[in-house]
Amino acid sequence: MSAPIDFFSKALTQYLEVNGIQYAYRRFGNASGVPVIGFQHFTGTLDNWDPISMNGLAQEREVIIFDNIGVGNTEGVTPDNVAAMTQDAIAFIEKLNIQHFDILGFSLGGFIAQQLAFVRPDLVRKIIIVGSAPQGVKVLHSFPQLIQRAMQLQPAERFLFIFFTPTELSRAKGMATLQRLFARTEDRDREASQQAVLAQLKAITAWGTDPVTIDLSQITQPVLIIQGSNDEMMDSDNSYTLFKQLPDAILTYYPDSAHGSFYQYPDQFVNSANFFLNN
Amino acid sequence: MSAPIDFFSKALTQYLEVNGIQYAYRRFGNASGVPVIGFQHFTGTLDNWDPISMNGLAQEREVIIFDNIGVGNTEGVTPDNVAAMTQDAIAFIEKLNIQHFDILGFSLGGFIAQQLAFVRPDLVRKIIIVGSAPQGVKVLHSFPQLIQRAMQLQPAERFLFIFFTPTELSRAKGMATLQRLFARTEDRDREASQQAVLAQLKAITAWGTDPVTIDLSQITQPVLIIQGSNDEMMDSDNSYTLFKQLPDAILTYYPDSAHGSFYQYPDQFVNSANFFLNN
């Protein structure tokens, strides 16, 4: 195998106007076949995708990541519910003239992945869901309290608190991840605005408290679920519940890891994600 | 990548005398680094290993499979407990002059894997456990009844009943597996004897009913657990329990699959097993 290409650091932010809004996005990789589109976590922007995972996927397919409305460099007001976020994402993707794609949904992005596959199954080929949960899960009832605890920490400690376990090994992997996320020094995205934070907070909490509207048994696409052993935010057990409700899902748990399981095991993730998407 | 070599069909059965017993075994693959040794399921012999998985592993390491005492072409009386089976296996492996190895334990072989790693951690580098369970699980209390039901079926239907789900897709994968297992026409192993069947039945049932003696938290080796979504024999949930008790385990569930998950998804299995053993 030839040396992997660093697509990710070279991909400049581009803009596309959809319904009067300028969406920020990056597009990179070996463009052949079905692209994979990344849906980001709570407060996450283009710069919260791990270069190892992005480049690993990009060796074998085209990768598109974007800021949804009101997030990072994309203008507008972030909606406070997953259904509207999903409609905004679909509008952007259709404006890119992409009719069929794979999804990589991380956390909140995994909610959108479920919603999108449920309301527009025609668009979706395969789905990867990392650190997420089905609708109606109890743990999200106290999501605001968890975030309040996190917000009292300094940024690096907050990142470790949310995405990694307290063990020395996991924290070291977290610090290494932070370095990768900050390796890009130019053409960076804006941090999420206060409005975006509050709207997403509401949307995520509602995912746990609102009535269930998605019938997961109707999502017939192949799904790869990745979760850490100790995700306090989503409650790791919920990935097993999600797995059981989806008719065609593979589920993998990683050891001594939390919400950021694929940050902690990026090479392992790339191996299984590429195998899943290619076969 | 060059075309894979068919090591498995070319590997002849060899014999090694240990404590007066002739052990039957086969040894094949690219001999470099740490070998992986396969521990077989209830009534399973050398011919119950899937050629796809065996060849997939053998491209990147040496693979050793053997009949434990009283099974297949290995002489002697099969013991009725996992601890004794483990001692017999260790005696054979030490006679091969192997001091450090990886384990692939399938079902009953996964019990022996746990026991071996617990009593002789010095021998074991990494462990793969397929379709298995920790000690003390309730589902094994009715293992004799399940086997009694299975024994009333014709051989092919019995194989499907134990290792696959009732769906059309899973059954088709089961029939394809059977063809692979019977592709070898010469130098085949004997079927398990009645004595071996009864002794193993007792050992497996006791794994669920006897007091727990293994402290899984002491098994610090990396473990890869593979399980089907619907393993009635082991109860799929028990793999999640096993995962939670082991300090360094990865767990993967496959969809619409039962006790023979790696028979059903051999390419997926080879991809993750090789990544796990290589990294």
Side-chain angles (χ1 to χ4, degrees), chain A residues 57-223:
Chain A
L57 294 173
Q59 306 306 312
E60 305 189 19
R61 72 204 76 256
E62 188 178 33
V63 181
I64 299 167
I65 53 176
F66 73 106
D67 288 326
N68 215 337
I69 291 184
V71 177
N73 282 2
T74 295
E75 303 164 349
V77 177
T78 301
D80 67 359
N81 64 88
V82 170
M85 292 173 184
T86 303
Q87 288 307 319
D88 295 342
I90 291 171
F92 166 71
I93 293 163
E94 291 193 323
K95 190 69 180 274
L96 281 176
N97 205 24
I98 294 172
Q99 279 89 29
H100 209 50
F101 55 91
D102 296 331
I103 293 178
L104 168 59
F106 181 21
S107 187
L108 169 61
F111 302 166
I112 298 174
Q114 294 169 63
Q115 173 74 9
L116 205 161
F118 186 63
V119 298
R120 289 296 305 275
D122 57 302
L123 296 174
V124 183
R125 192 187 68 124
K126 295 188 178 188
I127 305 163
I128 301 173
I129 293 176
V130 182
S132 198
Q135 288 179 313
V137 296
K138 207 163 186 182
V139 68
L140 291 175
H141 296 198
S142 50
F143 183 69
Q145 288 76 44
L146 184 73
I147 293 305
Q148 202 165 25
R149 271 201 282 153
M151 288 303 176
Q152 290 159 8
L153 301 168
Q154 295 301 311
E157 280 299 324
R158 185 187 310 152
F159 182 79
L160 295 179
F161 171 74
I162 290 176
F163 293 112
F164 295 83
T165 77
T167 69
E168 197 177 332
L169 181 72
S170 187
R171 285 176 60 87
K173 298 283 187 185
M175 291 307 294
T177 304
L178 266 182
Q179 290 189 338
R180 294 197 299 275
L181 298 184
F182 282 95
R184 187 186 188 104
T185 52
E186 295 181 16
D187 184 34
R188 282 187 72 86
D189 223 1
R190 282 189 303 215
E191 298 274 311
S193 69
Q194 187 71 0
Q195 188 275 323
V197 170
L198 294 175
Q200 289 186 346
L201 194 66
K202 189 170 172 194
I204 292 169
T205 309
W207 188 259
T209 54
D210 280 2
V212 172
T213 56
I214 297 173
D215 178 359
L216 290 168
S217 73
Q218 298 300 310
I219 298 180
T220 56
Q221 285 91 346
V223 181

Side-chain angles (χ1 to χ4, degrees), chain A residues 263-276:
Chain A
Y263 285 153
Q264 186 162 334
Y265 299 96
D267 297 321
Q268 171 90 35
F269 170 75
V270 166
N271 175 66
S272 56
N274 275 335
F275 186 91
F276 170 74

Side-chain angles (χ1 to χ4, degrees), chain B residues 1 11 25 42 56-57 104 230 247:
Chain B
M1 212 167 85
Y25 70 104
F42 175 57
L57 294 173
L104 168 58
N230 297 82

